[in-house]
Amino acid sequence: MGQVHRVRYIGVNTPERGEPCYSDATAYNASLVAGQTVTLVKDVSNTDRYDRLLRYVYVGVKFVNAELVRTGFAEARAYEPDTYFHNELLGLAITAKTANLGCWSTGVFTEEN
């Protein structure tokens, strides 16, 4: 049986509990990963200060971090030193913001990338 770990998706920021769009973003993430076998890929750091694994997440070939940004349920955010995919995620975020997708219409995301 596999191990259970809390995972912090690298390169993205999603709404926190109590913020606008939290439930929608959480539900969309669950639709991507719940019950699936995921592949976790490390960048530079292993864990954050809360002892969560810092990882890029894949289900098959689908890059979940990017899918959340592409659909507007997460914003791109650089957290040094784990920035390997930041430019790709930032491009997806700009497109999602321009199209007002997902959580962008709520004002929950900031301009800090």
Side-chain angles (χ1 to χ4, degrees):
M1 193 122 184
Q3 297 180 7
V4 176
H5 295 280
R6 290 186 65 213
V7 176
R8 171 72 168 91
Y9 291 23
I10 299 172
V12 302
N13 182 51
T14 58
E16 300 290 333
R17 188 180 314 273
E19 289 185 330
C21 206
Y22 169 80
S23 295
D24 293 334
T26 300
Y28 187 65
N29 180 63
S31 77
L32 296 172
V33 300
Q36 302 295 314
T37 298
V38 298
T39 300
L40 303 176
V41 177
K42 181 181 161 194
D43 194 331
V44 175
S45 305
N46 190 47
T47 59
D48 67 7
R49 64 182 177 194
Y50 303 108
D51 209 30
R52 298 175 294 188
L53 294 177
L54 295 170
R55 297 294 187 270
Y56 298 110
V57 179
Y58 292 85
V59 173
V61 297
K62 184 172 288 198
F63 183 17
V64 177
N65 308 50
E67 182 65 12
L68 290 168
V69 174
R70 185 188 70 75
T71 56
F73 289 106
E75 66 179 330
R77 187 64 69 87
Y79 297 100
E80 296 287 343
D82 303 292
T83 58
Y84 186 82
F85 287 109
H86 180 66
N87 288 336
E88 176 183 340
L89 295 171
L90 188 56
L92 293 170
I94 291 167
T95 301
K97 178 183 177 186
T98 301
N100 211 29
L101 297 178
C103 299
W104 282 103
S105 64
T106 69
V108 70
F109 295 141
T110 67
E111 296 297 319
E112 301 170 22
N113 288 313

